[in-house]
């Protein structure tokens, strides 16, 4: 065996998955951003040494059951990592799938603090926890001297 035979070969293509709700506020901005980033990386051969990234998009439709099915289909397409989902509920369900298959899942929207790296070692949160957001709201209520506050979602 020659010295070059022992070196690992660089893959020509790498599949990355994206799981989010296409018709949501986050989905409508995430989809073109991801597509633009992939196009930029693929257009510059010096970034990944001629390895091409294929982005495989799956719509979770903000549904835990459908999200699980979409995640399973995505894993069947040989992805090395996945991005999404934007919802903590769907992230909980999908995290079980990616843990079993040992595929990293990077979420930019799931904020539930119970999505911990101890329970889900392949789940990577890229946003702050709801815990910190609730402290900010509590500080505002305290600042204005209120004992109770009713928050209304629009």
């Amino acid at each position: 065996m020659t010295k070059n035979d022992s070196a690992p070969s660089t893959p020509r293509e790498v599949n990355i998955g994206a799981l989010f709700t296409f018709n949501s506020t986050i989905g409508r901005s995430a989809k073109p951003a991801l597509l633009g980033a992939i196009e930029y990386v693929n257009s510059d051969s010096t970034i990944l040494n001629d390895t091409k990234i294929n982005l495989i998009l799956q719509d979770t439709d903000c549904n835990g059951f459908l999200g699980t099915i979409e995640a399973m289909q995505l894993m069947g397409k040989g992805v090395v990592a996945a991005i999404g989902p934007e919802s903590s509920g769907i992230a909980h369900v999908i995290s079980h799938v990616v843990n079993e298959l040992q595929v990293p899942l990077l979420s930019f929207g799931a904020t539930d603090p119970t999505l911990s790296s101890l329970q889900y070692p392949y789940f990577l949160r890229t946003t702050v926890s709801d815990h910190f957001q609730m402290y900010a709201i509590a500080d505002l209520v305290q600042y204005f001297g209120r004992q109770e506050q009713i928050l209304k979602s629009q």
Side-chain angles (χ1 to χ4, degrees):
M1 175 158 51
T2 66
K3 187 175 183 179
N4 289 338
D5 290 340
S6 63
S9 63
T10 304
R12 300 291 299 147
E13 294 185 347
V14 173
N15 293 332
I16 304 289
L19 294 157
F20 53 89
T21 302
F22 294 164
N23 195 25
S24 69
T25 302
I26 292 174
R28 285 190 298 272
S29 44
K31 185 176 180 180
L34 289 169
L35 291 171
I38 297 297
E39 182 180 337
Y40 175 79
V41 169
N42 284 342
S43 70
D44 186 347
S45 62
T46 63
I47 296 175
L48 291 177
N49 298 324
D50 293 325
T51 297
K52 180 184 173 196
I53 297 176
N54 296 318
L55 182 65
I56 302 170
L57 300 166
Q58 298 285 120
D59 188 357
T60 62
D61 200 27
C62 209
N63 180 302
F65 179 72
L66 184 58
T68 304
I69 291 170
E70 295 295 330
M72 294 296 285
Q73 289 176 347
L74 190 62
M75 299 305 136
K77 295 177 180 176
V79 298
V80 297
I83 302 166
E86 71 258 32
S87 142
S88 294
I90 297 172
H92 269 284
V93 176
I94 294 173
S95 289
H96 292 285
V97 175
V98 298
N99 273 0
E100 288 300 316
L101 299 174
Q102 298 181 348
V103 174
L105 176 65
L106 180 90
S107 178
F108 49 81
T111 58
D112 187 342
T114 63
L115 286 164
S116 73
S117 59
L118 293 174
Q119 185 176 6
Y120 303 106
Y122 288 89
F123 177 80
L124 305 164
R125 181 186 1 256
T126 62
T127 186
V128 295
S129 165
D130 282 344
H131 177 77
F132 297 105
Q133 295 172 26
M134 291 300 107
Y135 271 126
I137 292 170
D139 286 345
L140 280 172
V141 171
Q142 183 179 9
Y143 176 80
F144 288 107
R146 302 287 180 106
Q147 295 300 315
E148 292 183 19
Q149 187 68 38
I150 298 173
L151 300 175
K152 184 177 177 184
S153 175
Q154 295 271 345

